Amino acid sequence: MFHRKEKVKVMKLFAANSTSNVDALKVRNSEKYFYRYMADTLKGYGITKVVPFTSVYADLFYLEKGKIGLFKFMDTNEEAFSILGEEIAEIMEEERDKLFEMIKEQGILCEIPCFYIMPYVDLEAFGMEDKRSYIIDREPFERLINQEDAFSNYLSDTLDTETMEHIRLTLAKDYHIFKKSTDNRNARGTMKKIFFPYKELSYQALFMDANEIRYINSIKYGKTLLEGSSGTGKTTILFSRAIKLAKLFPNDHFLYLTFDKQLVYELNNMMEMKKIRLDNLKVINFHQYIAQLGKPYGLRIDGGKGYRSFAAEFHKIFRKVTQIYKEKPMFRGIFLDESENFSDEEIDFLSECVYPKKSFFVVSQDKAKDIKNTEQSIWKGTDRVYFDEVISLKVNYRSSVQINTFVNDFTEKVRSYAEEQLDTDLYDYIRKGYTRRKTLGEIHLIESLNTAEMLKKMGEKIRELEKKGYIYSDICIVYPYNSRKTKNKGQIFYQYMIKNALEEMEIPFLIANDEMINMTHKIGVTLSNVYNIGNLEFKAVLFCETESLSSDFAEESMDKSIFLRGINVLYTIFNRSVDEMYIFTREEETDNCWKSLMKEAFYMRRQ
């Protein structure tokens, strides 16, 4: 139908190769034609499948040298148009007016062109040439693909940089990662980062890469699993999918569940920063959600008797709730983050809470990050759920080269040890990631004769990091547990011990809790055990008291469950660092399994 001489492609598309059976996200034939004939002419950036507002979306958001345009592709043929032409044109015009109104509400007063591309219809044949003010039909499309400068007629006037950035963050906010202004990571895609103020502080928005956008838009009905190592963008993709679908299906309800409160605070803060308000999307901690379901029936959880008592009480309430809500689907979609922490029974219940047809049950999983539930069940959750699609993520967007290499080497050592000593294959349990970051980074293993010397060296390292340009909020001291029992049946309290040492060195600090998020304005070095750091990241991590794991694991016992718990703790801590990591150990302790594996991985890099 259309003919054009092939040339070198120069347009950068994010991402035209997505696949979805959701109507608003499908790549249509007219869209494929456009990219085929225009990719060699256009020199800007094409951002696909943007959904800036509820019930309002566009297939292409195009930016080039201060000019922009929005485009929606239609595969309508002349037969269908001959029957519904007036109605179709009226609906398109209403959609366009609604988009313009919503854009103005965001403080954007300049005119943003919006066109429908319908290459299979000739408007002149229906006496509707006047509709070409917002429809590109067959004749204009022919001119478009054969005249290199024709597309500029459908773009805006040249806008200044500030206006362009405002528009980009408004129309494509779901394709940006928000970070502190001091974060030195580059944008994941090739578009420049945008700095913006929020609550009297400065932040930056990093544009995602084409792979992330493809995974966000490749939404399919049914059950989907996102799996990958820490830092591969599982939560980013999962949450972006939830937001996009909540906008596209405003009359249906969606549920986004996490296992701990910290991630809930993080995600709700992100929505506030992006100025996203969706009444049909609930973001909530799993335990709190079950408590809400049970409250109308007088079911309450007594959490004042300690963790074990809470777990038992919660399970009783959960079992009763499952009976009450059995076979009562309530959601168009459920998004389950941190699924490695959920039991089989819990996942079964949640998967039955979505509609039986044209619904979404999407979960993310990183088994090696399960630091809470391993003793109850090792191979659990998603292993026994049939998935229509499994997406494996391998690109690590967080770690520097040195840290990523160390974690991968440690993973290899752990796999080999488990196979040789425990006759266990951990290939699918602990996965490798491959960083795209250019920062080399640092990792060091620092040994001390005793605890006092270790604490002194930690203080000296913090002072060194200050001289390198790091601020206190960039640094975290992390230890596996708050305390451990000694051989003499005494008890060592790590948090108390480290707090005293920092106070003596006059280094300010704060204690991590489940309300701390990455955007929290921190006034000192963060102190945390593994349970309060699972969703945080820091430029520099100082990891101490690896010896506290030795009481969990005795080589002669070869206990598989305890071994996996140790892997999960170390893996979670190692992956909290963005640029640099320092592992502090004591020589006075006899080497245990974990120290040996860490040393082997560390010296493996040196060879």
Side-chain angles (χ1 to χ4, degrees):
M1 177 180 176
F2 305 111
H3 303 281
R4 187 188 175 100
K5 185 178 178 180
E6 293 293 329
K7 295 183 181 180
V8 179
K9 294 182 179 181
V10 291
M11 179 169 63
K12 181 67 175 179
L13 274 173
F14 304 94
N17 57 347
S18 60
T19 57
S20 175
N21 53 15
V22 178
D23 187 63
L25 302 176
K26 289 179 181 177
V27 179
R28 294 165 177 78
N29 289 330
S30 54
E31 197 169 352
K32 295 175 183 177
Y33 271 123
F34 178 85
Y35 296 144
R36 176 185 174 187
Y37 289 105
M38 298 299 295
D40 62 337
T41 299
L42 304 181
K43 300 177 182 179
Y45 296 94
I47 306 174
T48 61
K49 308 303 176 185
V50 294
V51 187
F53 313 110
T54 299
S55 301
V56 175
Y57 62 94
D59 295 311
L60 176 65
F61 172 32
Y62 184 75
L63 309 87
E64 181 183 341
K65 294 181 179 179
K67 296 184 177 184
I68 58 175
L70 288 167
F71 302 90
K72 196 167 180 177
F73 295 88
M74 309 287 288
D75 280 351
T76 310
N77 57 34
E78 293 205 334
E79 182 179 354
F81 198 80
S82 65
I83 301 171
L84 299 170
E86 290 290 344
E87 289 82 355
I88 291 173
E90 184 177 345
I91 291 172
M92 289 192 294
E93 195 163 6
E94 288 177 356
E95 282 184 347
R96 192 165 172 263
D97 291 341
K98 183 179 179 180
L99 172 63
F100 291 159
E101 182 181 342
M102 290 183 169
I103 287 174
K104 286 182 179 178
E105 289 176 357
Q106 299 298 314
I108 300 173
L109 302 180
C110 62
E111 184 177 344
I112 301 178
C114 179
F115 287 92
Y116 294 83
I117 298 179
M118 302 178 67
Y120 310 122
V121 172
D122 181 5
L123 291 177
E124 188 175 359
F126 298 96
M128 298 174 65
E129 297 97 320
D130 60 313
K131 305 300 181 184
R132 284 177 177 164
S133 61
Y134 60 93
I135 297 176
I136 302 174
D137 65 321
R138 182 181 299 158
E139 184 180 335
F141 187 78
E142 289 276 6
R143 291 197 302 269
L144 197 64
I145 65 175
N146 286 290
Q147 298 178 24
E148 293 195 3
D149 60 345
F151 193 65
S152 62
N153 296 327
Y154 299 100
L155 300 178
S156 69
D157 295 332
T158 303
L159 305 172
D160 60 73
T161 301
E162 185 178 352
T163 301
M164 286 287 288
E165 290 180 347
H166 185 190
I167 294 172
R168 192 178 111 191
L169 275 185
T170 299
L171 300 183
K173 65 182 69 174
D174 298 337
Y175 296 156
H176 288 81
I177 308 292
F178 283 15
K179 299 288 182 184
K180 290 182 179 179
S181 60
T182 54
D183 196 301
N184 59 8
R185 279 173 282 189
N186 293 323
R188 299 178 178 189
T190 57
M191 300 184 76
K192 293 181 179 179
K193 60 177 68 175
I194 297 175
F195 290 89
F196 64 97
Y198 175 71
K199 291 185 177 180
E200 299 181 353
L201 294 173
S202 180
Y203 295 90
Q204 59 179 311
L206 307 179
F207 191 70
M208 297 179 190
D209 68 15
N211 274 332
E212 287 177 293
I213 294 175
R214 174 167 63 92
Y215 287 133
I216 289 171
N217 292 333
S218 296
I219 305 174
K220 297 177 182 177
Y221 293 110
K223 293 183 173 70
T224 300
L225 169 64
L226 293 170
E227 60 180 9
S229 61
S230 188
T232 52
K234 297 182 296 298
T235 294
T236 295
I237 295 168
L238 193 71
F239 195 49
S240 296
R241 281 189 170 198
I243 290 173
K244 180 158 285 191
L245 288 175
K247 291 177 182 177
L248 291 174
F249 295 88
N251 298 320
D252 294 306
H253 293 281
F254 294 84
L255 178 67
Y256 193 102
L257 286 173
T258 73
F259 192 78
D260 62 37
K261 295 179 182 178
Q262 193 178 62
L263 187 53
V264 172
Y265 287 121
E266 180 84 28
L267 297 176
N268 281 325
N269 182 76
M270 196 64 63
M271 290 184 72
E272 184 180 334
M273 292 183 76
K274 292 185 176 184
K275 298 179 181 179
I276 296 173
R277 292 193 62 183
L278 295 168
D279 295 332
N280 63 332
L281 174 61
K282 180 190 286 287
V283 183
I284 192 171
N285 158 262
F286 174 65
H287 296 93
Q288 187 179 359
Y289 174 65
I290 296 300
Q292 286 185 4
L293 291 182
K295 189 174 181 180
Y297 299 92
L299 302 175
R300 298 182 182 276
I301 302 171
D302 182 5
K305 300 179 181 179
Y307 175 76
R308 292 187 182 278
S309 175
F310 172 83
E313 287 292 316
F314 175 80
H315 188 67
K316 290 179 184 178
I317 301 300
F318 172 75
R319 295 298 298 271
K320 292 178 181 178
V321 165
T322 58
Q323 293 301 313
I324 295 171
Y325 291 91
K326 189 176 182 180
E327 298 180 355
K328 291 182 181 179
M330 298 172 280
F331 299 97
R332 170 71 67 184
I334 290 180
F335 301 84
L336 185 58
D337 212 335
E338 307 174 317
S339 72
E340 62 273 4
N341 291 293
F342 290 77
S343 69
D344 297 341
E345 188 179 15
E346 290 163 351
I347 291 180
D348 285 342
F349 167 67
L350 293 171
S351 66
E352 293 170 359
C353 290
V354 295
Y355 302 153
K357 294 182 179 179
K358 287 200 169 184
S359 61
F360 309 90
F361 184 70
V362 191
V363 306
S364 70
Q365 185 184 68
D366 182 2
K367 291 178 182 176
K369 203 166 171 281
D370 172 13
I371 58 175
K372 295 186 175 74
N373 223 24
T374 304
E375 289 182 288
Q376 297 178 23
S377 176
I378 297 171
W379 307 104
K380 59 185 183 305
T382 52
D383 294 310
R384 56 189 295 273
V385 177
Y386 171 77
F387 284 97
D388 301 288
E389 183 180 26
V390 176
I391 299 172
S392 296
L393 305 174
K394 297 180 180 179
V395 177
N396 186 329
Y397 296 100
R398 178 186 296 137
S399 301
S400 63
V401 175
Q402 293 281 34
I403 292 174
N404 184 78
T405 302
F406 170 78
V407 174
N408 283 343
D409 290 343
F410 177 75
T411 297
E412 193 62 44
K413 292 297 180 183
V414 165
R415 287 176 179 173
S416 298
Y417 183 92
E419 187 174 349
E420 294 170 6
Q421 303 296 330
L422 303 175
D423 193 28
T424 299
D425 182 3
L426 296 182
Y427 182 83
D428 289 327
Y429 187 86
I430 179 169
R431 297 174 178 272
K432 295 182 179 181
Y434 302 93
T435 187
R436 279 192 180 172
R437 292 191 61 211
K438 304 298 183 184
T439 303
L440 189 61
E442 289 189 38
I443 179 167
H444 296 280
L445 189 65
I446 302 171
E447 290 190 301
S448 304
L449 291 173
N450 50 49
T451 299
E453 184 180 350
M454 181 192 69
L455 293 171
K456 180 182 178 182
K457 288 183 178 180
M458 287 173 54
E460 292 171 349
K461 180 55 63 179
I462 292 173
R463 297 302 185 202
E464 287 179 20
L465 290 169
E466 283 186 89
K467 292 178 181 179
K468 291 175 67 173
Y470 290 95
I471 57 178
Y472 289 133
S473 61
D474 295 331
I475 304 169
C476 178
I477 298 175
V478 60
Y479 36 89
Y481 313 119
N482 282 342
S483 63
R484 77 174 174 101
K485 292 182 179 179
T486 65
K487 295 177 181 178
N488 300 324
K489 296 185 179 180
Q491 201 157 3
I492 298 176
F493 293 92
Y494 297 120
Q495 187 182 102
Y496 177 78
M497 179 179 65
I498 297 170
K499 280 171 58 178
N500 285 346
L502 293 180
E503 286 173 353
E504 289 179 8
M505 291 180 278
E506 297 183 343
I507 296 174
F509 62 87
L510 67 163
I511 309 299
N513 55 40
D514 57 15
E515 293 185 13
M516 179 181 284
I517 62 176
N518 288 310
M519 294 297 184
T520 299
H521 182 59
K522 306 174 184 72
I523 57 174
V525 174
T526 299
L527 269 63
S528 179
N529 60 28
V530 68
Y531 298 108
N532 287 325
I533 201 177
N535 293 296
L536 301 179
E537 57 183 41
F538 297 86
K539 289 185 179 180
V541 169
L542 281 61
F543 174 31
C544 66
E545 297 304 334
T546 59
E547 288 77 16
S548 62
L549 293 171
S550 62
S551 60
D552 282 348
F553 182 83
E555 292 197 38
E556 63 270 17
S557 70
M558 298 299 176
D559 188 294
K560 179 178 176 180
S561 175
I562 293 175
F563 183 72
L564 289 177
R565 186 170 66 226
I567 291 173
N568 297 346
V569 169
L570 291 170
Y571 173 86
T572 300
I573 292 174
F574 290 159
N575 282 289
R576 298 309 96 209
S577 178
V578 173
D579 294 329
E580 301 186 20
M581 182 165 59
Y582 302 90
I583 302 172
F584 293 84
T585 63
R586 290 199 305 269
E587 295 177 3
E588 64 183 25
E589 295 278 352
T590 303
D591 274 6
N592 58 63
C593 166
W594 303 122
K595 285 181 68 172
S596 298
L597 291 173
M598 282 190 292
K599 283 184 176 181
E600 288 176 20
F602 180 77
Y603 289 112
M604 185 175 174
R605 295 167 46 251
R606 302 289 181 176
Q607 296 176 355

